[in-house]
Amino acid sequence: MRGHARNLMTEQVTAMSPTAPLADVARSLVAGGFSGVPVGNQDNQVGGFVSETDVMSALLRGATGDTRAWSIMSHHPVVIDEFATTDEVMGVMRESQIHHLPVVREGKLVGIITPHDILRFFVEDMPSPPAAG
């Protein structure tokens, strides 16, 4: 496929603060219909990622609603530059076995890519079928 990460990404990204309580993270996931959110610092740089699985694991370990995002997030998340090619995006997601790929511009969060975004781009980029008749 032709294109870059910036063509695939969803630009409206909900990110959480590292100090956000687990209750707020869970509310954000449910309200937005997300299965994960980046965790960013005050400079909008991605420092972690919290997935539904991270939340469930924390709850199983006895975490409470006051538990902070930094304590349950995956640290050193995989991110990709907005100018990475679509093939690079798909390769990184497959090799890293991730379903959420934060997109950065000069190190700052500008979007996120999920498999659904890739499928949407593929479908929109496909030529229309020839007219019948």
Side-chain angles (χ1 to χ4, degrees), residues 17-101:
S17 162
T19 59
L22 178 58
D24 289 352
V25 173
R27 282 188 198 98
S28 181
L29 293 174
V30 171
F34 310 130
S35 54
V37 290
V39 177
N41 62 23
Q42 60 194 15
D43 294 325
N44 207 27
Q45 295 174 326
V46 182
F49 197 89
V50 176
S51 69
E52 292 171 318
T53 303
D54 295 326
V55 172
M56 288 190 315
S57 295
L59 293 172
L60 284 170
R61 289 190 310 270
T64 66
D66 293 334
T67 301
R68 302 299 172 184
W70 61 264
S71 70
I72 66 165
M73 70 184 191
S74 57
H75 296 265
H76 310 293
V78 176
V79 298
I80 199 155
D81 185 80
E82 69 175 327
F83 291 108
T85 66
T86 54
D87 287 344
E88 289 173 311
V89 168
M90 291 185 291
V92 165
M93 291 179 80
R94 190 173 88 196
E95 289 170 21
S96 301
Q97 298 181 349
I98 56 174
H99 293 96
H100 306 86
L101 183 57

Side-chain angles (χ1 to χ4, degrees), residues 8 10 93 99 113-123:
L8 300 169
T10 297
M93 291 179 80
H99 293 96
I113 299 172
T114 66
H116 182 80
D117 295 313
I118 294 170
L119 293 175
R120 179 182 37 79
F121 181 77
F122 174 70
V123 168

Side-chain angles (χ1 to χ4, degrees), residues 4-22:
H4 296 93
R6 63 189 177 148
N7 304 118
L8 300 169
M9 71 184 188
T10 297
E11 292 183 45
Q12 299 296 323
V13 183
T14 298
M16 303 302 296
S17 162
T19 59
L22 178 58

